Amino acid sequence: MQLGMIGLGRMGGNMVRRLQRGGHTCVVYDRSREAVDALARDGATGASSLAQFVEKLGRPRAICLMVPAATVDASLAELEPLLEKDDTIIDGGNSHYHDDIARAKRLKERGLNYVDMGTSGGVWGLDRGYCLMIGGETDVVKRLEPVFSTLAPGAGSIERTPGREKLGGTAEHGYLHCGPSGAGHFVKMIHNGIEYALMAAYGEGLNILKNAGLGKAMHEKDAETAPLRDPEHYQYDFNLADITEVWRRGSVVTSWLLDLTAAALASDPKLETFSGRVSDSGEGRWTIAAANDEGVPAHVLAASLFERFASRGGDLFQNRVLSAMRFGFGGHVEKQ
């Protein structure tokens, strides 16, 4: 099958390579000529403009956008006038599902199809495959299934879920038509909210282990310092690289995120190459907003999102407020 790809960054470029390995043909476009040329050397058909890109695609066209969520509408504004009835646009980035619903409705009025494709796999997707969460009209998604099945990891060597043979479907192959427009990105949004929480749990647990030797240190005895009641209870010097490695072997907390953590600690035990400033790309915020709209609790997911805000200094002023109040009511001077 032929697919057009716009956006050849870390995800888009490797998705093209994976599709070509699977026997598909790809036409590619990016504002970076170097990115286009690199994929052309790998067998893709390059285009130097959007008009040329569209012209090189057979009808009905299938075009995937792998661009930042903030630039999707601008990309669509340039692309739409060049398309014809029955052409399909796939948004494989991290758009808000509200935007998917609006785009699908608008494009349908022009006879164009829109599919939202939540994509997980990161820089490892080329070899491991991409987990795909798809929203859109059933017949359109079905037509594109050869692309989805090639991008997805397939059943692979993962042990089959008991009872799965009675259920059928594509989920165990790593791709799923989740529902109508917006459904794919809604599921991916929640996926990323959960990801935030899992990452935070590992980080907090390992931080407690890292500080479990606190009892060996000298402790100031003053009104500003809570005493360590039993220093003998905190006399450990844990090797975090070894702990994360042993957890990978048969424990209930094993995961790919743990694998990545173990690899990082093996090469940089104190993680000194990282500042600890953690970004968020929006999905965590949208997850909490959805929980609020639905009236359901999301205590852990919310805490993990706020932890990311704090990592970037978002709590600095509120901590100053605390210091100001302590100084005001008790004359407490900040300790250095």
Coordinates of all heavy atoms in Angstrom, one line a residue, residues 76-161:
L76 N -2.9 21.3 8.0 CA -4.2 21.0 7.3 C -4.6 22.1 6.4 O -5.1 21.9 5.3 CB -5.3 20.7 8.3 CG -5.2 19.3 9.0 CD1 -6.3 19.2 10.1 CD2 -5.3 18.2 8.0
A77 N -4.4 23.3 6.9 CA -4.8 24.5 6.1 C -4.1 24.5 4.7 O -4.6 24.9 3.7 CB -4.5 25.8 6.8
E78 N -2.8 24.1 4.7 CA -2.0 24.1 3.5 C -2.4 22.9 2.6 O -2.4 23.0 1.4 CB -0.5 24.0 3.8 CG 0.1 25.3 4.5 CD 1.6 25.1 4.7 OE1 2.3 25.1 3.6 OE2 2.0 25.0 5.8
L79 N -2.7 21.8 3.3 CA -2.9 20.5 2.6 C -4.3 20.4 2.0 O -4.4 19.9 0.9 CB -2.6 19.4 3.6 CG -2.6 17.9 3.0 CD1 -1.6 17.8 1.9 CD2 -2.4 16.9 4.2
E80 N -5.3 20.8 2.7 CA -6.7 20.6 2.3 C -7.0 21.0 0.9 O -7.6 20.2 0.1 CB -7.6 21.3 3.3 CG -8.0 20.5 4.5 CD -9.0 21.3 5.4 OE1 -10.1 21.5 4.9 OE2 -8.7 21.6 6.5
P81 N -6.6 22.2 0.5 CA -7.0 22.6 -0.9 C -6.4 21.8 -2.0 O -6.9 21.8 -3.1 CB -6.4 24.1 -1.0 CG -6.2 24.5 0.4 CD -5.9 23.3 1.2
L82 N -5.4 21.0 -1.7 CA -4.8 20.1 -2.7 C -5.4 18.7 -2.8 O -5.1 18.0 -3.7 CB -3.3 20.0 -2.3 CG -2.5 21.3 -2.2 CD1 -1.1 21.0 -1.7 CD2 -2.4 22.0 -3.5
L83 N -6.3 18.4 -1.9 CA -6.8 17.1 -1.8 C -8.2 16.9 -2.6 O -8.8 17.9 -2.9 CB -7.0 16.6 -0.4 CG -5.7 16.6 0.5 CD1 -6.0 16.2 1.9 CD2 -4.7 15.8 -0.2
E84 N -8.6 15.7 -2.8 CA -9.8 15.4 -3.5 C -10.7 14.4 -2.8 O -10.2 13.8 -1.8 CB -9.4 14.8 -4.9 CG -8.6 15.7 -5.8 CD -8.1 15.1 -7.0 OE1 -7.6 14.0 -7.0 OE2 -8.3 15.7 -8.1
K85 N -11.9 14.3 -3.2 CA -12.9 13.4 -2.5 C -12.3 12.0 -2.3 O -11.6 11.5 -3.1 CB -14.1 13.3 -3.3 CG -15.3 12.5 -2.7 CD -16.5 12.5 -3.5 CE -17.6 11.7 -2.8 NZ -18.8 11.6 -3.6
D86 N -12.6 11.5 -1.0 CA -12.2 10.2 -0.6 C -10.7 10.1 -0.1 O -10.3 9.0 0.3 CB -12.4 9.1 -1.6 CG -13.9 8.9 -1.8 OD1 -14.7 9.1 -0.9 OD2 -14.3 8.5 -3.0
D87 N -9.9 11.2 -0.3 CA -8.6 11.2 0.3 C -8.7 11.1 1.8 O -9.7 11.6 2.4 CB -7.8 12.4 -0.1 CG -7.4 12.4 -1.6 OD1 -7.5 11.4 -2.2 OD2 -7.0 13.5 -2.0
T88 N -7.7 10.5 2.5 CA -7.7 10.4 3.9 C -6.5 11.0 4.6 O -5.4 10.8 4.1 CB -7.8 8.9 4.3 OG1 -9.0 8.3 3.7 CG2 -7.8 8.7 5.8
I89 N -6.8 11.7 5.7 CA -5.7 12.3 6.5 C -5.7 11.5 7.8 O -6.7 11.4 8.5 CB -5.9 13.8 6.7 CG1 -5.9 14.5 5.4 CG2 -4.8 14.3 7.7 CD1 -6.3 16.0 5.5
I90 N -4.5 11.1 8.2 CA -4.3 10.4 9.5 C -3.4 11.3 10.3 O -2.3 11.8 9.9 CB -3.5 9.1 9.3 CG1 -4.2 8.2 8.3 CG2 -3.3 8.4 10.6 CD1 -3.4 7.0 7.8
D91 N -3.9 11.7 11.5 CA -3.1 12.5 12.4 C -2.5 11.5 13.5 O -3.2 11.0 14.3 CB -4.0 13.5 13.2 CG -3.2 14.3 14.2 OD1 -1.9 14.2 14.3 OD2 -3.8 15.2 14.9
G92 N -1.2 11.3 13.3 CA -0.5 10.3 14.2 C 0.2 11.0 15.4 O 0.9 10.3 16.2
G93 N 0.0 12.3 15.6 CA 0.6 12.9 16.7 C -0.2 12.9 18.0 O -1.0 11.9 18.1
N94 N -0.1 13.9 18.8 CA -0.8 13.8 20.1 C -1.8 15.0 20.2 O -1.8 15.8 21.1 CB 0.2 14.0 21.3 CG 0.9 12.6 21.6 OD1 0.3 11.6 21.5 ND2 2.2 12.7 21.9
S95 N -2.7 15.1 19.2 CA -3.7 16.1 19.2 C -4.7 15.8 20.3 O -4.9 14.7 20.8 CB -4.4 16.1 17.9 OG -3.6 16.6 16.8
H96 N -5.4 16.9 20.7 CA -6.5 16.8 21.7 C -7.7 16.2 20.9 O -8.0 16.6 19.8 CB -6.8 18.2 22.2 CG -7.7 18.2 23.5 ND1 -9.0 17.7 23.4 CD2 -7.5 18.6 24.7 CE1 -9.5 17.8 24.7 NE2 -8.6 18.3 25.5
Y97 N -8.4 15.3 21.6 CA -9.5 14.6 20.9 C -10.6 15.5 20.5 O -11.3 15.3 19.6 CB -10.0 13.4 21.7 CG -10.8 13.8 22.9 CD1 -12.2 13.7 22.9 CD2 -10.2 14.2 24.1 CE1 -13.0 14.0 24.0 CE2 -11.0 14.5 25.2 CZ -12.3 14.4 25.2 OH -13.1 14.7 26.2
H98 N -10.8 16.7 21.2 CA -11.8 17.6 20.8 C -11.5 18.1 19.4 O -12.4 18.3 18.6 CB -11.8 18.8 21.8 CG -12.3 18.5 23.2 ND1 -12.4 19.5 24.2 CD2 -12.7 17.4 23.7 CE1 -12.9 18.9 25.2 NE2 -13.1 17.6 25.0
D99 N -10.2 18.4 19.1 CA -9.8 18.9 17.8 C -10.1 17.8 16.8 O -10.5 18.2 15.6 CB -8.3 19.2 17.8 CG -8.0 20.4 18.7 OD1 -8.9 21.2 18.9 OD2 -6.8 20.4 19.3
D100 N -9.9 16.5 17.1 CA -10.2 15.5 16.1 C -11.6 15.5 15.7 O -12.0 15.4 14.5 CB -9.9 14.1 16.7 CG -8.4 13.9 17.0 OD1 -7.6 14.3 16.2 OD2 -8.1 13.3 18.1
I101 N -12.5 15.6 16.7 CA -14.0 15.6 16.4 C -14.3 16.8 15.5 O -15.1 16.6 14.5 CB -14.8 15.7 17.7 CG1 -14.5 14.5 18.6 CG2 -16.2 15.9 17.4 CD1 -15.1 14.6 20.0
A102 N -13.8 18.0 15.7 CA -14.1 19.1 14.9 C -13.5 19.0 13.5 O -14.1 19.3 12.5 CB -13.5 20.4 15.6
R103 N -12.2 18.5 13.4 CA -11.6 18.3 12.1 C -12.3 17.3 11.3 O -12.5 17.5 10.1 CB -10.1 17.9 12.3 CG -9.2 19.0 12.9 CD -7.9 18.4 13.3 NE -7.1 19.4 14.0 CZ -6.1 19.1 14.9 NH1 -5.9 17.8 15.2 NH2 -5.4 20.0 15.5
A104 N -12.7 16.2 11.9 CA -13.4 15.1 11.1 C -14.7 15.6 10.5 O -15.0 15.4 9.4 CB -13.6 13.9 12.0
K105 N -15.4 16.4 11.3 CA -16.7 17.0 10.8 C -16.5 17.9 9.7 O -17.2 17.9 8.7 CB -17.4 17.7 12.0 CG -18.7 18.2 11.6 CD -19.4 18.9 12.9 CE -20.8 19.5 12.5 NZ -21.4 20.1 13.7
R106 N -15.5 18.8 9.8 CA -15.2 19.8 8.8 C -14.7 19.1 7.5 O -15.2 19.5 6.4 CB -14.1 20.8 9.3 CG -13.9 22.0 8.4 CD -12.8 22.8 8.8 NE -11.5 22.3 8.5 CZ -10.6 21.9 9.4 NH1 -10.9 22.0 10.7 NH2 -9.4 21.4 9.1
L107 N -13.8 18.2 7.6 CA -13.3 17.5 6.4 C -14.3 16.7 5.7 O -14.3 16.6 4.5 CB -12.1 16.7 6.8 CG -10.8 17.4 7.3 CD1 -9.8 16.5 7.8 CD2 -10.2 18.2 6.1
K108 N -15.2 16.1 6.5 CA -16.3 15.2 5.9 C -17.2 16.1 5.0 O -17.7 15.6 3.9 CB -17.1 14.6 7.0 CG -18.1 13.5 6.5 CD -18.8 12.8 7.6 CE -19.6 11.7 7.0 NZ -20.3 10.8 8.1
E109 N -17.4 17.3 5.3 CA -18.2 18.2 4.5 C -17.5 18.4 3.1 O -18.2 18.7 2.1 CB -18.4 19.5 5.1 CG -19.2 19.5 6.4 CD -19.3 20.8 7.2 OE1 -18.5 21.7 6.8 OE2 -20.0 20.9 8.2
R110 N -16.2 18.2 3.0 CA -15.5 18.3 1.7 C -15.3 16.9 1.1 O -14.6 16.8 0.1 CB -14.1 19.0 2.0 CG -14.2 20.4 2.3 CD -12.9 21.1 2.0 NE -12.5 20.8 0.6 CZ -11.3 20.4 0.2 NH1 -10.3 20.3 1.1 NH2 -11.0 20.2 -1.1
G111 N -15.9 15.9 1.7 CA -15.7 14.5 1.1 C -14.4 13.9 1.5 O -14.0 12.9 0.9
L112 N -13.7 14.5 2.5 CA -12.4 13.9 3.0 C -12.5 13.2 4.3 O -13.4 13.4 5.1 CB -11.4 15.1 3.2 CG -11.1 16.0 2.0 CD1 -10.2 17.2 2.4 CD2 -10.5 15.2 0.8
N113 N -11.7 12.2 4.4 CA -11.7 11.3 5.6 C -10.6 11.7 6.6 O -9.5 12.2 6.2 CB -11.5 9.9 5.2 CG -12.5 9.4 4.2 OD1 -13.7 9.6 4.3 ND2 -12.0 8.8 3.1
Y114 N -10.9 11.6 7.9 CA -10.0 11.9 8.9 C -9.9 10.8 9.9 O -10.9 10.3 10.4 CB -10.4 13.2 9.6 CG -9.5 13.7 10.7 CD1 -8.4 14.5 10.5 CD2 -9.7 13.3 12.0 CE1 -7.5 14.9 11.5 CE2 -8.9 13.7 13.1 CZ -7.8 14.5 12.8 OH -6.9 15.0 13.8
V115 N -8.7 10.4 10.2 CA -8.4 9.3 11.2 C -7.4 9.8 12.2 O -6.4 10.4 11.9 CB -7.9 8.0 10.5 CG1 -7.4 7.0 11.5 CG2 -8.9 7.4 9.6
D116 N -7.8 9.7 13.5 CA -6.8 10.0 14.6 C -6.1 8.7 15.1 O -6.8 7.7 15.3 CB -7.5 10.7 15.7 CG -8.7 10.0 16.3 OD1 -9.8 10.1 15.6 OD2 -8.7 9.5 17.4
M117 N -4.8 8.7 15.1 CA -4.0 7.6 15.4 C -3.1 7.9 16.6 O -2.0 8.4 16.4 CB -3.3 7.1 14.2 CG -2.4 5.9 14.3 SD -1.5 5.4 12.8 CE -0.2 6.6 12.8
G118 N -3.5 7.5 17.8 CA -2.6 7.7 18.9 C -1.5 6.7 18.8 O -1.7 5.5 18.5
T119 N -0.3 7.1 18.9 CA 0.9 6.3 18.6 C 1.9 6.3 19.8 O 2.3 7.3 20.3 CB 1.7 6.9 17.4 OG1 0.7 7.1 16.3 CG2 2.8 6.0 16.9
S120 N 2.2 5.1 20.2 CA 3.2 4.9 21.3 C 4.3 4.0 20.8 O 4.0 3.0 20.2 CB 2.5 4.3 22.5 OG 3.4 4.2 23.6
G121 N 5.5 4.3 21.2 CA 6.6 3.5 20.7 C 7.9 4.2 20.7 O 9.0 3.6 20.8
G122 N 7.8 5.5 20.6 CA 9.0 6.4 20.7 C 10.1 6.0 19.7 O 9.8 5.5 18.6
V123 N 11.3 6.3 20.1 CA 12.4 6.1 19.2 C 12.7 4.6 19.0 O 13.5 4.2 18.1 CB 13.7 6.8 19.7 CG1 13.5 8.3 19.8 CG2 14.1 6.2 21.1
W124 N 12.1 3.7 19.8 CA 12.3 2.3 19.6 C 11.3 1.6 18.6 O 11.4 0.4 18.3 CB 12.1 1.6 21.0 CG 13.1 2.1 22.0 CD1 13.0 3.2 22.8 CD2 14.4 1.5 22.3 NE1 14.1 3.3 23.6 CE2 14.9 2.3 23.4 CE3 15.1 0.4 21.9 CZ2 16.2 2.0 23.9 CZ3 16.3 0.1 22.5 CH2 16.8 0.9 23.5
G125 N 10.4 2.4 18.1 CA 9.3 1.8 17.3 C 9.8 1.2 16.0 O 9.1 0.3 15.5
L126 N 10.9 1.7 15.4 CA 11.3 1.1 14.2 C 11.5 -0.4 14.3 O 11.1 -1.1 13.4 CB 12.7 1.8 13.8 CG 13.4 1.2 12.5 CD1 12.5 1.3 11.3 CD2 14.7 1.9 12.3
D127 N 12.1 -0.9 15.3 CA 12.3 -2.3 15.5 C 11.3 -3.0 16.3 O 10.9 -4.1 16.0 CB 13.7 -2.5 16.1 CG 14.9 -2.0 15.3 OD1 14.8 -2.3 14.0 OD2 15.8 -1.4 15.8
R128 N 10.8 -2.3 17.3 CA 9.8 -2.9 18.2 C 8.4 -2.9 17.7 O 7.5 -3.7 18.0 CB 9.8 -2.2 19.6 CG 11.0 -2.6 20.5 CD 11.0 -1.6 21.7 NE 9.8 -1.7 22.5 CZ 9.7 -2.3 23.7 NH1 10.8 -2.9 24.2 NH2 8.6 -2.4 24.3
G129 N 8.1 -1.9 16.8 CA 6.8 -1.6 16.4 C 6.1 -0.6 17.2 O 6.6 -0.2 18.3
Y130 N 5.0 0.0 16.7 CA 4.2 1.0 17.4 C 2.9 0.5 17.9 O 2.1 -0.1 17.1 CB 4.0 2.2 16.4 CG 5.3 2.8 15.9 CD1 5.9 2.3 14.8 CD2 6.0 3.8 16.6 CE1 7.1 2.8 14.3 CE2 7.1 4.4 16.1 CZ 7.7 3.9 14.9 OH 8.9 4.4 14.5
C131 N 2.5 0.8 19.1 CA 1.2 0.5 19.6 C 0.3 1.6 19.1 O 0.5 2.8 19.3 CB 1.2 0.5 21.1 SG -0.4 0.3 21.9
L132 N -0.8 1.2 18.4 CA -1.6 2.2 17.7 C -3.1 2.1 18.2 O -3.7 1.1 18.3 CB -1.7 1.9 16.2 CG -0.3 1.9 15.5 CD1 -0.5 1.5 14.0 CD2 0.4 3.2 15.6
M133 N -3.6 3.3 18.6 CA -4.9 3.5 19.1 C -5.7 4.4 18.1 O -5.3 5.6 18.0 CB -4.9 4.1 20.5 CG -4.2 3.2 21.5 SD -3.2 4.1 22.8 CE -1.6 4.2 21.9
I134 N -6.7 3.9 17.4 CA -7.2 4.5 16.2 C -8.7 4.9 16.4 O -9.5 4.2 16.9 CB -7.1 3.5 15.0 CG1 -5.6 3.1 14.9 CG2 -7.6 4.1 13.7 CD1 -5.4 1.7 14.1
G135 N -9.0 6.1 15.9 CA -10.3 6.6 15.9 C -10.7 7.0 14.5 O -9.9 7.5 13.7
G136 N -12.0 6.7 14.1 CA -12.5 7.1 12.8 C -13.6 6.2 12.3 O -14.0 5.3 13.0
E137 N -14.1 6.5 11.1 CA -15.1 5.7 10.5 C -14.6 4.3 10.2 O -13.5 4.1 9.7 CB -15.7 6.3 9.3 CG -16.4 7.7 9.6 CD -17.0 8.3 8.4 OE1 -16.9 7.7 7.3 OE2 -17.5 9.4 8.5
T138 N -15.5 3.3 10.4 CA -15.0 1.9 10.3 C -14.5 1.5 9.0 O -13.5 0.9 8.8 CB -16.2 0.9 10.7 OG1 -16.6 1.2 12.0 CG2 -15.8 -0.5 10.6
D139 N -15.2 1.9 7.9 CA -14.8 1.5 6.6 C -13.4 2.1 6.2 O -12.6 1.5 5.5 CB -15.8 1.8 5.5 CG -16.2 3.3 5.5 OD1 -16.0 4.0 6.5 OD2 -16.7 3.8 4.4
V140 N -13.2 3.4 6.6 CA -12.0 4.1 6.3 C -10.8 3.4 7.1 O -9.7 3.1 6.5 CB -12.0 5.6 6.8 CG1 -10.7 6.3 6.5 CG2 -13.2 6.2 6.0
V141 N -11.0 3.1 8.4 CA -10.0 2.4 9.2 C -9.7 1.0 8.6 O -8.5 0.6 8.5 CB -10.4 2.3 10.6 CG1 -9.5 1.4 11.4 CG2 -10.6 3.7 11.3
K142 N -10.7 0.3 8.1 CA -10.5 -1.0 7.6 C -9.6 -0.9 6.3 O -8.8 -1.8 6.1 CB -11.9 -1.6 7.2 CG -11.8 -3.1 6.8 CD -11.4 -4.0 8.0 CE -11.4 -5.4 7.6 NZ -10.9 -6.3 8.7
R143 N -9.9 0.1 5.5 CA -9.1 0.3 4.2 C -7.6 0.5 4.5 O -6.8 0.1 3.8 CB -9.7 1.5 3.5 CG -9.1 1.7 2.1 CD -9.3 3.0 1.5 NE -10.7 3.4 1.7 CZ -11.2 4.7 1.5 NH1 -10.3 5.7 1.3 NH2 -12.5 5.0 1.6
L144 N -7.3 1.1 5.7 CA -5.9 1.4 6.0 C -5.3 0.4 6.9 O -4.1 0.5 7.3 CB -5.9 2.8 6.8 CG -6.4 4.0 6.0 CD1 -6.6 5.2 7.0 CD2 -5.4 4.4 4.9
E145 N -6.0 -0.7 7.1 CA -5.5 -1.8 8.0 C -4.1 -2.3 7.6 O -3.3 -2.6 8.5 CB -6.5 -2.9 8.1 CG -6.1 -3.9 9.3 CD -7.3 -4.7 9.7 OE1 -8.4 -4.6 9.1 OE2 -7.0 -5.5 10.6
P146 N -3.8 -2.5 6.3 CA -2.4 -2.9 6.0 C -1.3 -2.0 6.5 O -0.3 -2.5 6.9 CB -2.4 -2.9 4.4 CG -3.9 -3.1 4.1 CD -4.6 -2.4 5.1
V147 N -1.6 -0.7 6.6 CA -0.6 0.2 7.1 C -0.5 0.0 8.6 O 0.6 -0.1 9.2 CB -1.0 1.7 6.8 CG1 -0.1 2.6 7.6 CG2 -0.8 1.9 5.3
F148 N -1.6 -0.1 9.3 CA -1.6 -0.2 10.8 C -1.0 -1.5 11.2 O -0.2 -1.6 12.1 CB -3.1 -0.2 11.3 CG -3.8 1.1 11.0 CD1 -5.1 1.1 10.6 CD2 -3.1 2.3 11.0 CE1 -5.8 2.3 10.3 CE2 -3.8 3.5 10.7 CZ -5.1 3.5 10.4
S149 N -1.3 -2.6 10.5 CA -0.7 -3.9 10.9 C 0.8 -4.0 10.7 O 1.5 -4.7 11.4 CB -1.4 -5.0 10.1 OG -1.2 -4.9 8.7
T150 N 1.3 -3.2 9.7 CA 2.7 -3.2 9.5 C 3.4 -2.3 10.6 O 4.5 -2.7 11.0 CB 3.1 -2.7 8.1 OG1 2.4 -3.5 7.1 CG2 4.6 -2.7 7.9
L151 N 2.8 -1.2 10.9 CA 3.4 -0.4 11.9 C 3.4 -1.0 13.3 O 4.3 -0.8 14.1 CB 2.7 1.0 12.0 CG 2.9 1.9 10.8 CD1 2.0 3.2 10.9 CD2 4.4 2.4 10.7
A152 N 2.4 -1.8 13.6 CA 2.2 -2.4 14.9 C 3.2 -3.5 15.1 O 3.8 -4.1 14.2 CB 0.8 -2.9 15.0
P153 N 3.5 -3.8 16.4 CA 4.5 -4.9 16.7 C 4.1 -6.3 16.3 O 4.9 -7.2 16.2 CB 4.7 -4.7 18.2 CG 3.5 -4.0 18.7 CD 3.0 -3.2 17.6
G154 N 2.8 -6.5 16.2 CA 2.3 -7.9 16.0 C 2.3 -8.6 17.4 O 2.7 -8.1 18.4
A155 N 1.8 -9.9 17.4 CA 1.7 -10.7 18.6 C 3.1 -10.9 19.2 O 3.3 -10.9 20.4 CB 1.0 -12.0 18.3
G156 N 4.1 -11.1 18.4 CA 5.5 -11.3 18.8 C 5.6 -12.5 19.8 O 4.9 -13.5 19.7
S157 N 6.5 -12.3 20.8 CA 6.8 -13.4 21.7 C 6.0 -13.2 23.0 O 6.3 -14.0 24.0 CB 8.3 -13.5 22.0 OG 8.8 -12.2 22.5
I158 N 5.2 -12.2 23.1 CA 4.5 -11.9 24.4 C 3.5 -13.1 24.6 O 2.7 -13.4 23.7 CB 3.7 -10.6 24.3 CG1 4.8 -9.4 24.2 CG2 2.9 -10.4 25.6 CD1 4.1 -8.1 24.0
E159 N 3.4 -13.6 25.8 CA 2.5 -14.7 26.1 C 1.1 -14.3 25.9 O 0.7 -13.2 26.3 CB 2.7 -15.1 27.6 CG 1.9 -16.4 28.0 CD 2.2 -16.8 29.4 OE1 3.2 -16.3 30.0 OE2 1.4 -17.6 29.9
R160 N 0.3 -15.1 25.3 CA -1.1 -14.7 25.0 C -1.9 -14.6 26.3 O -1.8 -15.4 27.2 CB -1.7 -15.8 24.1 CG -3.0 -15.3 23.5 CD -3.5 -16.3 22.4 NE -4.4 -15.7 21.5 CZ -5.0 -16.3 20.5 NH1 -4.9 -17.6 20.3 NH2 -5.8 -15.6 19.7
T161 N -2.7 -13.6 26.4 CA -3.6 -13.4 27.5 C -4.6 -14.5 27.6 O -5.3 -14.8 26.6 CB -4.4 -12.0 27.4 OG1 -3.4 -11.0 27.3 CG2 -5.3 -11.8 28.6

